[in-house]
Amino acid sequence: MAVGLLAAIVPKPFCLLTTKLQPSSLLTTKPAPLYAPLGTHHGFFNGKNRRKLNSFTVCFVLEEKKQSTQIETFTEEEESGTQISTAARVAEKLARKRSERFTYLVAAVMSSFGITSMAVMAVYYRFWWQMEGGEVPLAEMFGTFALSVGAAVGMEFWARWAHKALWHASLWHMHESHHRPREGPFELNDVFAIINAVPAIALLSFGFFHKGLVPGLCFGAGLGITVFGMAYMFVHDGLVHKRFPVGPIADVPYFRRVAAAHQLHHSDKFHGVPYGLFLGPKELEEVGGLEELEKEISKRIKSYNRVPK
């Protein structure tokens, strides 16, 4: 509040409460009141004691309203600027997220089609070459497909053990990127996918270029690891963490349970359990987490329904 001070000297009757004015009266240690009420003291209008003295009239000029209006104007401008800045940041963040999702989607589609087509061609040509002589190697074919299923199931248990014993232990400096907000389409944790692809490619190559039962088993093992890796990418990266759209996969009830269970892993409500992916609901059941699992499923369904399709 701005205050203007105006002091003017004007002649005005002043009450001195004494019958005789001495020069030293102005220097007395007891100050007289600056504004003495007129007519409240006896003898004020006594002609003998009446004197005229110069007194101060103090005027205060208030300018609060004008400055308050200016402050309100500045506040409105600042709020408007803040809203514009916030909207710009939100738009920029959404654009960046869309770009990241598109980049990862392209990588996922290319790798999926590439790996799937190579796996189908490898299976076809391998057994076509084996049957060139007219004899069908039933034992080798059965071993190949059996080990394909076994390797895919075994990868779930391997991933659970590695997740707990390695990724959340000695390799946490790499896996930590998966438990923090991601900057960009990729994260350091994606290296584990490449690491798991190395033995799959090696087993497939050995089984593809050699005939016999052992090469057939190696080919089946490599095929099973590949199938698990593709399923893991769609469910874990696509459905759970929404790095790319997965379409009707999100409507499969079992995959909803898998996604909700893995989300509880990131919440750390059960000390990291579940560490597996496809058998995650079973792990939660073992530690008494089914109630939390159902709550997470309901929350994910509501969140999914709010998203425009």
Side-chain angles (χ1 to χ4, degrees), residues 138-196:
L138 295 178
E140 185 177 342
M141 293 176 64
F142 177 78
T144 298
F145 285 106
L147 206 56
S148 297
V149 177
V153 175
M155 281 297 295
E156 169 67 17
F157 293 95
W158 155 254
R160 180 196 299 186
W161 177 85
H163 194 176
K164 182 177 181 180
L166 299 178
W167 302 348
H168 278 258
S170 58
L171 298 178
W172 174 248
H173 63 283
M174 298 175 62
H175 185 62
E176 185 180 13
S177 63
H178 183 57
H179 285 261
R180 289 185 174 183
R182 184 173 58 256
E183 295 293 337
F186 302 101
E187 57 192 32
L188 186 58
N189 184 72
D190 294 334
V191 174
F192 291 122
I194 301 175
I195 294 175
N196 290 328

Side-chain angles (χ1 to χ4, degrees), residues 16 26 46 97 106 157 175 198 235-236 262 271 290:
L16 289 180
L26 298 176
N46 194 335
K97 284 294 182 182
V106 171
F157 293 95
H175 185 62
V198 172
V235 175
H236 177 265
H262 189 75
H271 305 287
L290 289 182

Side-chain angles (χ1 to χ4, degrees), residues 39-199:
T40 58
H41 298 285
H42 178 69
F44 180 82
F45 291 99
N46 194 335
K48 195 173 184 179
N49 293 327
R50 184 174 61 189
R51 297 190 59 181
K52 291 185 179 180
L53 293 178
N54 292 331
S55 63
F56 284 97
T57 299
V58 181
C59 299
F60 293 90
V61 181
L62 306 181
E63 297 180 0
E64 181 179 6
K65 184 176 180 180
K66 181 178 179 180
Q67 187 169 0
S68 175
T69 304
Q70 294 177 351
I71 293 175
E72 292 177 358
T73 303
F74 293 152
T75 303
E76 292 176 357
E77 292 178 354
E78 291 176 358
E79 291 179 353
S80 177
T82 303
Q83 292 176 356
I84 295 175
S85 177
T86 303
R89 286 196 299 268
V90 171
E92 181 182 357
K93 185 177 180 180
L94 291 176
R96 186 172 65 251
K97 284 294 182 182
R98 284 194 293 266
S99 176
E100 293 172 2
R101 285 167 60 90
F102 178 76
T103 301
Y104 192 86
L105 176 62
V106 171
V109 170
M110 290 180 63
S111 61
S112 298
F113 277 108
I115 293 174
T116 302
S117 59
M118 287 190 295
V120 171
M121 291 176 62
V123 171
Y124 174 78
Y125 280 107
R126 188 181 192 283
F127 289 106
W128 182 72
W129 290 339
Q130 289 177 343
M131 292 184 292
E132 281 183 339
E135 182 180 355
V136 179
L138 295 178
E140 185 177 342
M141 293 176 64
F142 177 78
T144 298
F145 285 106
L147 206 56
S148 297
V149 177
V153 175
M155 281 297 295
E156 169 67 17
F157 293 95
W158 155 254
R160 180 196 299 186
W161 177 85
H163 194 176
K164 182 177 181 180
L166 299 178
W167 302 348
H168 278 258
S170 58
L171 298 178
W172 174 248
H173 63 283
M174 298 175 62
H175 185 62
E176 185 180 13
S177 63
H178 183 57
H179 285 261
R180 289 185 174 183
R182 184 173 58 256
E183 295 293 337
F186 302 101
E187 57 192 32
L188 186 58
N189 184 72
D190 294 334
V191 174
F192 291 122
I194 301 175
I195 294 175
N196 290 328
V198 172

